[in-house]
Amino acid sequence: MRRWLVTAGLLLLAAICTMAQNVSTPSAISSFDLTAIDKTVDPCEDFYQYACGSWMKNNPIPPDQSSWGRFNELHERNQTILRGILEKQSADNASRSLVNQKIGDYYYSCMDEAAIEAKGTAPVKPYINKIDAMKDKSEIPTVLAGLHRAGANAFFGFSSQPDFKDSKVNIATADQGGLSLPDRDYYFKTDAKSVELREKLEKHIANTFELYGESPAKAAVDAKTVMKVETALAKVSLDRTEQRDPTKVYHKMSAADLQKLSPAFAWNQYFTTIQPPSFDSLNVGEPDFVKGMNELIAGNDLDTVKTYLRWQTLRGASSMLPKAFVDEDFEFYGKTLRGAKELRPRWKRCVQYTDNDLGEALGQAYVAETFPPEAKARTLQMVHELEAALKQDIGELSWMTPDTRKQALEKLSRIDNKIGYPDKWRDYSALNIVRGDAMGNSVRANQFEFNRQLKKIGMPVDRNEWEMTPPTVNAYYNPLENNVNFPAGILQPPFYDQKADDAVNFGGIGMVIGHELTHGFDDEGSQFDADGNLKNWWTPQDKEQFDKLEQCFVNEYDSFVVVDDVHIKGKLTLGENTADNGGLRIAHMALLDVLGTTPTKEIDGYTPEQRFFISFAQVWCTNETPQQTRLQALSNEHSDARFRVNGVVSNMPEFAKAFGCKANSPMIRKPACRVW
Ligand SMILES: [Zn+2]
């Protein structure tokens, strides 16, 4: 389902036997990298190429990846550390703690490919059988509820979330879902590449049905049916740009009103099966989607719905099914959609699944190994330095009037900082992890999470909870809680290096902190107040001015072409671009504050300010397949790496000054866009 909050993250990264081999902790990644620079390029012509050119030449995409950048280097390093932890704990050892039994046996079972092969499709059969056994459409809600609990993405998602207008309390929420492609537009685009992609998806669906035992003829017909159902769902879905608008995904209503939207689907029956705490009202993210789903169910025969549910169940289960299913899934989602050449080794996938399903159990050992208290203290200090810079910035903005400025400063002063890992670890004791039952563990983990979310309905929001696991190389701002969150996984080189000079750390983790703080004031975050409620705190005049300045970013990024004729979507990426631009600016201001008290000297032939900008750019050094570039531009809220660098520095006169760029240089944008 749509994870609305996480869209305010920094990026989307893209989820036999005890192998007793020793995996040692890999060496740290260098932060400021002289060998990455291509000195044949003029930094004022193309700064990204200058800072990353040699890195790109020397770091081709590994065959099991679709993109490769500094984020991935750190992600891989973290994965290797997690692998060491998991291999140690996967030995069947009676003295393991309860937490270590869970992560160890989960990983062991996932790695036990022989056992998975031996079971064949048996672990998914009970779910398929329940679908097949339906005799009447009235049974759909009950069966669908069971599938949702097990983790299938069919039709819609049901969960809890803070009430947008009373963010201290969690309410029930139903959101659009059930598609196999990353955005609704994929089902309607008529260019050759999109048509081909849909043909390949249909083939992939047919192949999967065949693997489950259908005849080729029936599998081909069934795949067409699935495409028909998903196209109908896509037609009534919001696209990703619309989903970023909180007012478009907030429709609080009673359960009775929800029922009126979809007479053909008995919600009571669905609720009887999933048993949420009782509630008076819920958020129906997209009422038109519910109406469309109703028409789909009412207007098609039961077999059509069964076929669609079978597909989404097999798709969700494929990672824990025999190799033939895994390979088939990779063929479409890895190769065709992303352009990767090889499937990631099993251990990487199993580390990822353990992190997804038991993140705060696995995270405990990761934090103990990688994140000393000094790192937490130093990060907190930097967050305070960045907050001071943003406060100064808001105080000085010429376009803002005193009333709005007062509100903005109030909101800033109330942002909470969460660093590294949760104060209180999640309790997994109710989740049973059985050695040798890979699929069962995955299903039970999904059920555990589903139930955990449901239990929150009607309860106060726990702001100490995390949306990301500790080893994650990412960060986020949560507009409903007004807090910034920096997992331990990103508080490492190349982002933060205890041995590096301030300029390098402010260009790295300083920019990341600035980026997340600025999310509180982007086109989306700025609609929420200091309490995290969807409430306008702007004077009409300031709001108009803000929208005008934001439009400058929309136009700027709309103009960037990433591959073939594919442009960045200026509106889809507006929040991230606002955060990138504001984030680097306040990181720069914070650096100047620090440099003001210490003498500035050149290191490696670069001034501190030059090192700051190079350090920032090198965080984004990336190679990616054309497929990945296309996918990202069409469906991701984050701009392409090259433009996350050049799009930002070209708006900063401070950059041009640091590198002595001439007035007509490509890296000087006229007029420069600036909001914060
Ligand atoms: Zn972001």
Side-chain angles (χ1 to χ4, degrees):
M1 71 175 274
R2 180 167 51 84
R3 298 297 299 270
W4 189 76
L5 301 174
V6 180
T7 61
L10 186 70
L11 84 168
L12 282 170
L13 282 166
I16 289 193
C17 54
T18 30
M19 301 173 112
Q21 75 208 63
N22 256 331
V23 181
S24 56
T25 301
S27 57
I29 298 155
S30 67
S31 43
F32 188 91
D33 188 354
L34 280 171
T35 67
I37 297 172
D38 182 351
K39 290 207 168 172
T40 65
V41 176
D42 178 353
C44 301
E45 286 284 321
D46 183 341
F47 188 56
Y48 177 76
Q49 196 62 34
Y50 173 80
C52 295
S54 295
W55 186 94
M56 288 194 288
K57 227 176 282 163
N58 297 327
N59 290 275
I61 309 168
D64 68 339
Q65 307 282 333
S66 56
S67 73
W68 188 249
R70 312 300 306 281
F71 275 80
N72 303 84
E73 287 180 342
L74 178 53
H75 176 73
E76 292 280 304
R77 179 175 184 271
N78 287 345
Q79 280 219 320
T80 306
I81 293 168
L82 297 177
R83 180 191 192 182
I85 294 165
L86 288 169
E87 287 187 352
K88 190 167 152 216
Q89 299 303 341
S90 64
D92 193 2
N93 178 346
S95 65
R96 285 179 299 178
S97 68
L98 266 181
V99 162
N100 287 337
Q101 177 272 324
K102 288 187 198 300
I103 58 172
D105 285 350
Y106 186 103
Y107 182 75
Y108 171 88
S109 312
C110 179
M111 289 299 292
D112 191 354
E113 287 182 277
I116 291 171
E117 289 299 322
K119 285 182 186 172
T121 55
V124 77
K125 272 218 159 70
Y127 301 93
I128 301 287
N129 289 346
K130 273 196 185 137
I131 296 168
D132 286 340
M134 284 193 283
K135 298 249 174 329
D136 189 274
K137 281 192 210 168
S138 64
E139 295 169 67
I140 294 172
T142 304
V143 170
L144 184 62
L147 296 177
H148 280 172
R149 215 164 24 192
N153 168 30
F155 286 121
F156 61 88
F158 192 84
S159 189
S160 60
Q161 68 176 49
D163 186 340
F164 284 14
K165 297 206 170 161
D166 181 12
S167 65
K168 287 188 168 51
V169 181
N170 284 303
I171 56 170
T173 178
D175 284 310
Q176 68 180 44
L179 301 182
S180 302
L181 288 169
D183 196 7
R184 50 105 52 205
D185 295 350
Y186 276 86
Y187 292 84
F188 307 109
K189 286 164 78 79
T190 53
D191 61 282
K193 281 221 160 70
S194 301
V195 172
E196 189 194 344
L197 190 69
R198 287 197 295 273
E199 282 166 8
K200 289 193 167 164
L201 172 61
E202 190 176 315
K203 185 76 187 110
H204 164 56
I205 296 170
N207 291 347
T208 305
F209 279 137
E210 268 192 63
L211 287 175
Y212 189 70
E214 287 189 7
S215 71
K218 180 166 172 17
V221 172
D222 282 355
K224 278 208 184 325
T225 302
V226 172
M227 291 303 290
K228 192 181 80 177
V229 171
E230 293 201 1
T231 306
L233 288 177
K235 201 171 259 173
V236 292
S237 296
L238 297 183
D239 70 20
R240 282 186 180 262
T241 303
E242 291 168 317
Q243 286 179 64
R244 290 192 61 250
D245 182 346
T247 62
K248 285 194 175 154
V249 293
Y250 182 74
H251 306 92
K252 208 168 158 185
M253 61 179 76
S254 66
D257 285 338
L258 168 63
Q259 187 57 65
K260 278 183 210 146
L261 293 175
S262 52
F265 184 89
W267 285 92
N268 265 344
Q269 213 177 305
Y270 179 84
F271 295 142
T272 302
T273 311
I274 62 169
Q275 300 214 317
S278 70
F279 56 87
D280 299 328
S281 57
L282 78 164
N283 179 34
V284 178
E286 306 82 5
D288 285 345
F289 179 86
V290 176
K291 283 188 219 161
M293 179 186 85
N294 180 68
E295 280 169 30
L296 185 73
I297 293 173
N300 285 282
D301 55 24
L302 178 59
D303 278 346
T304 298
V305 176
K306 283 185 182 180
T307 302
Y308 166 69
L309 293 180
R310 272 204 310 275
W311 155 246
Q312 285 294 354
T313 302
L314 289 173
R315 178 180 170 229
S318 64
S319 60
M320 295 296 171
L321 283 173
K323 186 171 182 302
F325 284 88
V326 174
D327 288 346
E328 179 56 42
D329 182 80
F330 170 74
E331 196 61 31
F332 181 74
Y333 286 102
K335 245 185 211 168
T336 303
L337 196 59
R338 296 195 161 77
K341 291 192 174 68
E342 284 171 17
L343 183 62
R344 280 180 304 157
R346 184 90 192 168
W347 74 264
K348 286 190 191 174
R349 285 174 281 139
C350 288
V351 165
Q352 189 66 54
Y353 302 145
T354 316
D355 184 40
N356 290 349
D357 282 343
L358 288 159
E360 289 194 16
L362 178 56
Q364 297 178 29
Y366 173 81
V367 165
E369 199 162 306
T370 63
F371 197 63
E374 309 87 80
K376 187 163 178 162
R378 176 74 185 116
T379 309
L380 187 60
Q381 188 194 330
M382 281 188 79
V383 173
H384 289 150
E385 284 160 0
L386 267 291
E387 283 172 342
L390 182 53
K391 185 178 173 188
Q392 184 192 338
D393 175 61
I394 292 172
E396 290 169 1
L397 288 173
S398 59
W399 58 268
M400 196 173 249
T401 63
D403 283 351
T404 306
R405 197 188 310 277
K406 191 168 155 244
Q407 299 290 329
L409 290 170
E410 163 75 6
K411 178 167 181 175
L412 172 65
S413 74
R414 304 238 327 255
I415 292 180
D416 280 331
N417 309 311
K418 284 155 67 186
I419 291 164
Y421 53 91
D423 292 339
K424 190 169 167 282
W425 295 105
R426 188 167 300 164
D427 177 6
Y428 292 99
S429 49
L431 169 54
N432 192 21
I433 298 297
V434 179
R435 196 170 177 86
D437 185 11
M439 177 76 79
N441 291 337
S442 167
V443 167
R444 281 186 294 277
N446 287 333
Q447 289 168 337
F448 173 83
E449 178 60 15
F450 189 83
N451 291 336
R452 197 178 72 81
Q453 293 295 341
L454 287 197
K455 269 187 220 145
K456 294 189 211 169
I457 295 170
M459 302 294 285
V461 171
D462 176 4
R463 295 192 168 189
N464 291 317
E465 240 194 76
W466 283 67
E467 297 273 337
M468 288 177 184
T469 68
T472 306
V473 187
N474 207 338
Y476 68 98
Y477 169 78
N478 185 336
L480 293 161
E481 298 180 355
N482 196 24
N483 57 26
V484 284
N485 301 260
F486 304 99
I490 199 171
L491 303 172
Q492 320 271 342
F495 294 92
Y496 168 68
D497 184 350
Q498 220 153 349
K499 293 189 244 31
D501 50 308
D502 282 330
V504 167
N505 280 329
F506 275 93
I509 199 67
M511 173 277 294
V512 172
I513 296 167
H515 173 105
E516 299 308 339
L517 288 171
T518 308
H519 268 312
F521 303 90
D522 70 17
D523 60 319
E524 192 175 65
S526 64
Q527 298 183 54
F528 293 83
D529 68 7
D531 293 316
N533 291 322
L534 182 59
K535 194 175 159 194
N536 183 20
W537 46 271
W538 295 72
T539 65
Q541 177 195 347
D542 284 325
K543 178 75 174 112
E544 195 188 321
Q545 193 62 23
F546 174 79
D547 290 344
K548 210 169 103 193
L549 295 171
E550 286 277 271
Q551 188 59 40
C552 182
F553 285 138
V554 176
N555 299 344
E556 176 187 356
Y557 286 81
D558 265 340
S559 74
F560 295 141
V561 176
V562 290
V563 61
D564 302 334
D565 57 348
V566 179
H567 285 247
I568 291 180
K569 292 182 177 181
K571 258 199 112 114
L572 174 63
T573 56
L574 179 56
E576 296 303 329
N577 298 333
T578 306
D580 279 348
N581 278 272
L584 191 65
R585 175 173 302 282
I586 63 170
H588 182 256
M589 288 171 69
L591 172 66
L592 293 188
D593 276 352
V594 172
L595 292 180
T597 57
T598 48
T600 61
K601 61 175 194 311
E602 287 191 3
I603 304 176
D604 305 324
Y606 292 104
T607 67
E609 283 189 77
Q610 288 173 335
R611 289 173 68 79
F612 167 82
F613 285 111
I614 293 170
S615 166
F616 154 69
Q618 289 187 341
V619 157
W620 297 113
C621 294
T622 307
N623 281 310
E624 58 189 12
T625 64
Q627 292 92 331
Q628 179 63 36
T629 305
R630 175 176 287 267
L631 177 75
Q632 164 134 352
L634 294 178
S635 63
N636 195 299
E637 292 80 7
H638 303 82
S639 295
D640 183 81
R642 177 178 299 271
F643 300 102
R644 290 191 83 162
V645 174
N646 289 350
V648 174
V649 296
S650 62
N651 283 321
M652 289 183 71
E654 298 87 343
F655 166 80
K657 193 169 153 235
F659 284 90
C661 298
K662 293 200 191 78
N664 58 352
S665 300
M667 290 295 101
I668 300 180
R669 196 172 174 78
K670 288 175 205 149
C673 301
R674 177 176 175 185
V675 178
W676 303 104

